[in-house]
Amino acid sequence: MVEKRIRNMEEFATVSGISRPTLSKYFHDPGSVRATTRERIESALEQYDYRPNIFAINQNRKLTKTIGILVPYLSDPFFAEMVRLIERLCIDAGYWPVVFSAHGETELENNALATLESLRPAGALIAPLGRSSDFEVVERFTEEVPTVVFDSNLEVGKAFVGNDNVQSIGLIVDYLCRTGEPPCFFEMPPVNPNANRRRDTYVQSMERLGHQPQVVSVRGGDWDFERIGLDEGMRLISERALPSDTILCSNDRLAIGLIAAAYQKGLRVGHGPGCALRIAGHDDHPWAQFSCPPLTTVAQDYRAVAERSVEILFKLIDGEDLGEERQMHYFQGRLVLRASA
């Protein structure tokens, strides 16, 4: 027994070290949590002499049919497509999605999470900013709201769903090395963990194939990827600073900007006679097939990522126990061959 009286569930969660969602599940149905977790809760109840307000618990359980969706930048074609798929899946299941964009800014991501939590959603699907996220804010949100993380693997929430960057980058590096000069890797300062993983996998893949990795890191640090690809591409071409005639870009948006730079500098992009450069990307975002020339890339499985994310979230909302370990779901990419490489 302790002297200080615990007044509410938040205080009990803090002193016991057990998350609020887990406590809520226990008080709704003790059999819904693991036996070891149930023992911890019941031991803490005895230690702190805490008896919850059952009426308040029941009121809190009257959640809306709202599903929150948060992405770093809604104008990014990749996230726009992911949101479109997720929205449709939620609507078809009888939920109403509410979409927030962080616009690439930490403060706006924090504000969006606070606003979303105030709506008392049934659950949330979030793609965090990543490197610039306020980890404690995001983590606290995921402890209060059933949450699945997609695309950017910040270590929060009960599950992550995304692309297998190791497989997809290895796939396109193998192709480019087989069919022409080994590629250099064109990147800007990383905005999320995917960029780091893609660069590291490029280096490992080149070394595995017996080639010297050549990473070209350019200036820029916001989400205006096409502009960065254009401006820095023109500079590198003018300075004859590209170490290879084959360039693998960290993402499609950088690659489209680089293709535009080559055009403005009078260089033909493609695979064949008269072509000065081969350019490839990653993601197969909705505009990749309409660049000139159309972009060779690796396609993420947008639909599979969206469907699995929503499937797991509905399990969390229904109170299904996913286990103590955070779930990790990766989907493989698919090589898409077009005229640029």
Side-chain angles (χ1 to χ4, degrees):
M1 302 290 287
V2 295
E3 293 184 2
K4 182 182 176 182
R5 185 76 175 178
I6 303 301
R7 296 173 299 176
N8 53 47
M9 187 89 77
E10 285 76 12
E11 290 187 2
F12 182 63
T14 299
V15 299
S16 66
I18 301 166
S19 72
R20 175 67 185 273
T22 300
L23 292 173
S24 296
K25 283 180 62 179
Y26 169 82
F27 289 123
H28 175 61
D29 177 13
S32 67
V33 299
R34 289 189 169 191
T36 54
T37 303
R38 187 164 63 250
E39 290 174 5
R40 284 181 58 206
I41 294 172
E42 290 172 354
S43 175
L45 286 171
E46 182 177 352
Q47 178 183 354
Y48 295 103
D49 192 26
Y50 174 64
R51 296 296 178 268
N53 184 330
I54 299 302
F55 175 76
I57 291 173
N58 289 333
Q59 286 295 102
N60 288 336
R61 198 174 296 118
K62 294 178 181 177
L63 299 173
T64 66
K65 297 291 283 184
T66 300
I67 297 290
I69 305 170
L70 173 63
V71 295
Y73 222 93
L74 190 54
S75 63
D76 186 304
F78 170 80
F79 290 113
E81 179 64 9
M82 287 299 301
V83 167
R84 183 187 72 82
L85 293 169
I86 289 171
E87 279 188 308
R88 188 72 257 178
L89 291 166
C90 291
I91 291 169
D92 290 346
Y95 290 90
W96 187 249
V98 178
V99 180
F100 294 85
S101 172
H103 297 277
E105 298 180 22
T106 306
E107 183 178 0
L108 292 180
E109 181 172 81
N110 291 349
N111 291 343
L113 291 171
T115 301
L116 178 54
E117 185 174 355
S118 72
L119 298 176
R120 298 177 60 207
L125 294 145
I126 66 172
L129 288 172
R131 292 181 66 226
S132 58
S133 289
D134 186 328
F135 180 83
E136 291 184 0
V137 170
V138 182
E139 182 180 43
R140 188 163 58 247
F141 175 86
T142 62
E143 289 174 351
E144 295 296 328
V145 178
T147 302
V148 173
V149 177
F150 68 96
D151 182 63
S152 180
N153 188 16
L154 202 64
E155 294 286 333
V156 295
K158 285 291 187 180
F160 168 76
V161 184
N163 181 71
D164 185 347
N165 288 299
V166 173
Q167 177 269 340
S168 58
I169 289 293
L171 183 67
I172 197 163
V173 169
D174 283 349
Y175 165 74
L176 293 173
C177 288
R178 286 199 320 269
T179 55
E181 186 175 358
C184 61
F185 189 77
F186 184 80
E187 68 166 7
M188 56 178 280
V191 296
N192 65 28
N194 290 326
N196 288 325
R197 178 59 62 87
R198 291 174 188 180
R199 184 220 310 116
D200 293 345
T201 301
Y202 159 79
V203 171
Q204 294 163 9
S205 298
M206 291 287 284
E207 291 175 343
R208 172 176 54 82
L209 294 170
H211 302 297
Q212 180 65 37
Q214 300 179 93
V215 177
V216 180
S217 298
V218 300
R219 296 184 291 257
D222 56 25
W223 287 77
D224 194 5
F225 298 162
E226 293 87 357
R227 171 58 60 183
I228 294 168
L230 172 63
D231 291 346
E232 291 297 292
M234 291 183 68
R235 178 181 65 82
L236 290 167
I237 292 170
S238 296
E239 296 173 358
R240 299 182 181 275
L242 287 169
S244 172
D245 291 340
T246 301
I247 303 103
L248 172 59
C249 297
S250 180
N251 60 64
D252 287 350
R253 294 181 59 193
L254 275 175
I256 289 172
L258 184 58
I259 287 174
Y263 174 81
Q264 293 191 31
K265 287 295 185 179
L267 299 180
R268 185 176 177 184
V269 174
H271 191 196
C275 294
L277 296 174
R278 290 194 302 161
I279 297 175
H282 189 288
D283 292 335
D284 196 28
H285 85 47
W287 298 345
Q289 61 184 311
F290 302 116
S291 61
C292 187
L295 183 64
T296 289
T297 185
V298 180
Q300 292 201 45
D301 196 336
Y302 292 68
R303 181 163 292 280
V305 171
E307 289 179 347
R308 182 65 57 83
S309 299
V310 171
E311 174 191 345
I312 296 171
L313 180 63
F314 289 168
K315 289 181 179 180
L316 289 173
I317 292 171
D318 291 340
E320 185 171 328
D321 185 7
L322 301 184
E324 297 293 334
E325 295 294 323
R326 183 170 182 258
Q327 293 193 2
M328 306 287 284
H329 299 263
Y330 292 102
F331 289 93
Q332 294 193 342
R334 174 176 53 87
L335 188 62
V336 179
L337 300 181
R338 300 192 181 105
S340 74

